Amino acid sequence: MTDTLLHCRYIIPVIPDNTVLEHHSIAIANGAITDILPRADAEIKYAGVATIELDQHIVLPGLINAHGHAAMSLLRSYANDLSLKDWLDNHIWPVEARWVSDAFVFDGTQLAIGEMIKSGTTCFSDMYFFPEAAARAAMDAGVRCQVAFPIFEFPCNWGSGPQEYLEKGLALRDQYRGSERIKVAFGPHAPYTVGNASLEKVVMLAEELDANIQIHLHETAFEVESAVKETGMRPVERLRKIGLLSPRAQCVHMTAINNNDIETISTNGCHVIHCPESNLKLASGFCPVDTLQKAGVNVALGTDGAASNDDLDLFAELRSAALLAKAVANDPTALAAHAAVRMATINGARALGMENLIGSIETGKQADITAVRINTLCAQPLYDPPSSLVYTSSGSRVSDVWVGGKRLLNDRQLTTLDENDLLQRAISWGEKIIAGKN
């Protein structure tokens, strides 16, 4: 029995490619999409079903933020205009060592989730300490999440070293075994913070459990140069020899790469997670998105953490990605609007291994849906809906969001989170951190 009918001005289903449906409706039953058909037919076929009018909207799949550190929203703008090494070594890691806890991660993740829902994101990947708290925050809010539990060679607030990280991460995976909304992945931080023995163990366990691996990789030229001096190999080659590169691998950043790196990534079926605004702010480099896609690599999109972005608006990231791709390729046709939308939807779903559930508006898939208003000054006149989504301020125009058919945003109002409570908790953390810094 259909329980909800969405009447839409425009639908960008993502699959089939390059398609815009006008005056169509989406039927939802038990959290899944059961029908997509012209409005006139829907009004006859589903007479009497509860309807929601989205006649001044572009409707598309919920966005997928394929890489971030959600709790770092509590460190938004904490340290600015610094190189990655200085930013991490002298600012971020010291403040994390003092303040990061289960409570910090839960509050910071809920703050991030509220921001993401209000800008159209329905699924995110998180790599941070205390992943148990991030998973609870996602469950409470009703969103989808891939939790990539972190692995380093050194101790942190969450554990003593690789063995404890793996034990805790595997226990978390057991806790959410069978969950449709929470997926647990391995999150070895980067080749320069994780040794060969630990990476080999991750590869073995990931193969045994059929789990994803997310890793920061080739983020800066300095990282690559240092690796070559230390090991005689570029990081991509080292990971290939260890066996980490496979369709389970989600390679984050990939700015300092050459043609051999791209061939290796493509041959091994790896995914690339592009985080343009974080890379721009930290001057980490430019990911060659057009070249990667032409080589057959699936490229998804992430915001990274708010400490290096400083927002989690994936529509803003889309715009930056599209513009940057054109400049890097010196080609105005690179990463056209439809392709950019795919990066934040079906490409993200493929990278996270969720393409059978989400990432497109198709019958049988979960009703993870975002609606963007078009009756605003910056959106009119409207000639091309995909271009409007990519090149105008779409994040601020998101009006409604559904995950599994449940409405998490209703006319800009969060339904599962208390926005005032989120604000007060964020302000309280900021005051404590500032007091500690002084």
Side-chain angles (χ1 to χ4, degrees):
M1 294 291 293
T2 297
D3 48 56
T4 308
L5 196 62
L6 308 181
H7 292 313
C8 313
R9 179 68 170 85
Y10 297 103
I11 300 173
I12 299 178
V14 175
I15 293 177
D17 287 348
N18 305 318
T19 298
V20 177
L21 304 175
E22 190 170 358
H23 298 303
H24 274 58
S25 301
I26 302 170
I28 300 170
N30 297 319
I33 298 167
T34 56
D35 206 354
I36 305 160
L37 69 171
R39 174 171 181 153
D41 296 341
E43 289 175 336
I44 297 170
K45 184 174 181 180
Y46 299 105
V49 171
T51 62
I52 297 173
E53 286 290 346
L54 299 170
D55 58 342
Q56 295 294 329
H57 299 75
I58 299 171
V59 175
L60 71 159
L63 303 187
I64 299 168
N65 187 344
H67 176 71
H69 314 285
M72 293 185 82
S73 290
L74 291 178
L75 299 175
R76 192 190 316 268
S77 301
Y78 177 81
N80 289 293
D81 308 322
L82 301 167
S83 70
L84 176 63
K85 190 173 188 308
D86 184 15
W87 182 76
L88 281 174
D89 291 351
N90 300 318
H91 300 274
I92 296 301
W93 283 343
V95 74
E96 286 178 330
R98 177 160 186 181
W99 292 106
V100 170
S101 64
D102 185 276
F104 177 99
V105 172
F106 183 83
D107 288 352
T109 303
Q110 283 212 324
L111 174 66
I113 290 170
E115 180 183 356
M116 286 191 281
I117 291 172
K118 293 196 73 170
S119 52
T121 293
T122 56
C123 176
F124 69 104
S125 180
D126 194 55
M127 182 198 286
Y128 205 59
F129 314 102
F130 296 92
E132 307 94 337
R136 290 200 316 273
M139 284 296 291
D140 287 356
V143 296
R144 297 186 200 277
C145 180
Q146 173 187 270
V147 181
F149 63 87
I151 302 164
F152 305 87
E153 291 300 328
F154 46 82
C156 70
N157 297 18
W158 187 54
S160 59
Q163 186 59 35
E164 187 175 0
Y165 301 147
L166 286 168
E167 289 171 0
K168 287 184 171 182
L170 292 173
L172 182 66
R173 188 178 187 278
D174 286 343
Q175 180 181 345
Y176 288 98
R177 187 189 306 275
S179 171
E180 196 174 71
R181 287 203 284 113
I182 306 294
K183 303 296 182 184
V184 178
F186 293 86
H189 173 258
Y192 59 87
T193 55
V194 188
N196 282 5
S198 297
L199 290 172
E200 288 166 0
K201 187 171 288 188
V202 166
V203 170
M204 179 190 70
L205 290 168
E207 289 178 352
E208 179 183 325
L209 300 171
D210 192 23
N212 293 331
I213 303 171
Q214 185 165 112
I215 185 168
H216 300 92
L217 186 59
H218 283 240
E219 186 171 359
T220 65
F222 177 79
E223 173 199 336
V224 176
E225 291 163 4
S226 298
V228 171
K229 287 178 184 177
E230 183 178 340
T231 68
M233 291 180 286
R234 295 170 69 82
V236 160
E237 180 61 15
R238 177 181 159 216
L239 296 188
R240 185 194 67 78
K241 289 190 173 183
I242 289 171
L244 190 144
L245 301 185
S246 76
R248 296 188 190 90
Q250 303 161 6
C251 306
V252 182
H253 297 306
M254 297 298 283
T255 60
I257 55 176
N258 60 27
N259 289 335
N260 289 336
D261 300 326
I262 293 172
E263 182 179 356
T264 300
I265 290 294
S266 176
T267 300
N268 287 278
C270 305
H271 309 273
V272 167
I273 314 299
H274 180 33
C275 302
E277 293 190 351
S278 176
N279 293 154
L280 286 168
K281 186 175 181 185
L282 293 167
S284 297
F286 307 118
C287 178
V289 170
D290 189 53
T291 304
L292 284 163
Q293 291 187 328
K294 286 176 178 174
V297 177
N298 179 53
V299 182
L301 197 64
T303 58
D304 212 349
S308 63
N309 188 309
D310 297 345
D311 65 64
L312 304 181
D313 182 347
L314 205 59
F315 276 113
E317 209 76 30
L318 263 180
R319 185 174 191 269
S320 295
L323 297 176
L324 189 60
K326 300 174 192 307
V328 170
N330 194 28
D331 178 1
T333 69
L335 200 61
H338 272 288
V341 172
R342 287 196 295 272
M343 282 180 63
T345 53
I346 193 61
N347 290 12
R350 288 171 179 148
L352 303 186
M354 299 180 182
E355 67 271 30
N356 291 331
L357 282 177
I358 59 173
S360 58
I361 295 179
E362 296 181 85
T363 56
K365 285 198 172 182
Q366 289 291 292
D368 290 17
I369 294 169
T370 289
V372 180
R373 287 193 179 279
I374 57 174
N375 57 339
T376 63
L377 296 179
C378 66
Q380 292 295 336
L382 178 61
Y383 301 112
D384 181 58
S387 292
S388 177
L389 286 180
V390 173
Y391 298 115
T392 66
S393 54
S394 295
S396 63
R397 296 188 283 113
V398 171
S399 64
D400 298 87
V401 166
W402 290 262
V403 172
K406 182 176 181 179
R407 202 171 190 175
L408 304 188
L409 189 70
N410 184 345
D411 195 20
R412 294 296 294 166
Q413 298 300 308
L414 295 169
T415 65
T416 58
L417 294 168
D418 183 331
E419 188 164 348
N420 287 330
D421 179 54
L422 296 180
L423 284 170
Q424 291 308 310
R425 280 188 278 160
I427 290 167
S428 177
W429 276 108
E431 290 171 348
K432 285 191 288 188
I433 291 169
I434 289 168
K437 187 176 182 180
N438 295 333

